[in-house]
């Protein structure tokens, strides 16, 4: 589970071993909308960006959501285009900062 504040940036991460030349997609589960495929964004909402970093043992594919709003909360899915599709669901919780007096 990942948490972000309203107005902030959310980073949803998916670690993948043996990615090789397969593609990775991020989907929003509530409407099954494809958000990104590899580094390309497939939604007109420019707040969504896919980041990719590689280590010696795995690839880290991150969906970043800028200027988070309450409506961004929910489940997202990271999918790897393998012969048997591999997917992982992650949940984003959006919190509203409380200002103390």
């Amino acid at each position: 589970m990942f948490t972000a504040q309203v107005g902030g940036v959310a980073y949803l991460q998916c670690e993948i071993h043996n990615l090789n030349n397969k593609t990775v997609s991020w989907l929003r589960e509530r409407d099954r909308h494809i958000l990104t495929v590899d580094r390309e964004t497939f939604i007109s909402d420019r707040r969504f960006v896919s980041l990719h970093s590689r280590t010696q043992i795995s690839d880290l594919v991150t969906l970043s959501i800028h200027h988070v709003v309450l409506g961004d909360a929910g489940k997202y899915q990271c999918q790897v285009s393998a012969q048997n599709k591999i997917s992982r669901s992650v949940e984003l919780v959006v919190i509203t900062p409380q200002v103390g007096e």
Side-chain angles (χ1 to χ4, degrees), residues 39-78:
R39 289 178 178 82
E40 277 192 64
T41 302
F42 276 78
I43 186 172
S44 58
D45 190 335
R46 291 274 150 226
R47 299 177 309 122
F48 293 85
V49 178
S50 179
L51 309 168
H52 194 133
S53 60
R54 179 171 286 141
T55 67
Q56 287 183 332
I57 57 163
S58 66
D59 286 74
L60 193 60
V61 181
T62 304
L63 176 67
S64 67
I65 308 169
H66 297 261
H67 309 292
V68 171
V69 296
L70 287 172
D72 292 328
K75 289 191 189 293
Y76 292 81
Q77 200 174 89
C78 158

Side-chain angles (χ1 to χ4, degrees), residues 77-90:
Q77 200 174 89
C78 158
Q79 290 185 345
V80 179
S81 67
Q83 204 161 11
N84 301 320
K85 190 164 49 175
I86 305 161
S87 65
R88 175 175 174 230
S89 279
V90 297

Side-chain angles (χ1 to χ4, degrees), residues 3-58:
T3 304
Q5 283 191 354
V6 168
V9 181
Y11 294 100
L12 310 181
Q13 294 188 323
C14 193
E15 185 178 19
I16 301 148
H17 296 272
N18 305 315
L19 181 61
N20 300 322
N21 59 351
K22 298 179 206 61
T23 59
V24 179
S25 307
W26 278 100
L27 281 82
R28 186 168 48 205
E29 285 194 5
R30 74 168 178 263
D31 56 8
R32 306 298 297 157
H33 201 302
I34 296 173
L35 303 172
T36 64
V37 176
D38 286 338
R39 289 178 178 82
E40 277 192 64
T41 302
F42 276 78
I43 186 172
S44 58
D45 190 335
R46 291 274 150 226
R47 299 177 309 122
F48 293 85
V49 178
S50 179
L51 309 168
H52 194 133
S53 60
R54 179 171 286 141
T55 67
Q56 287 183 332
I57 57 163
S58 66

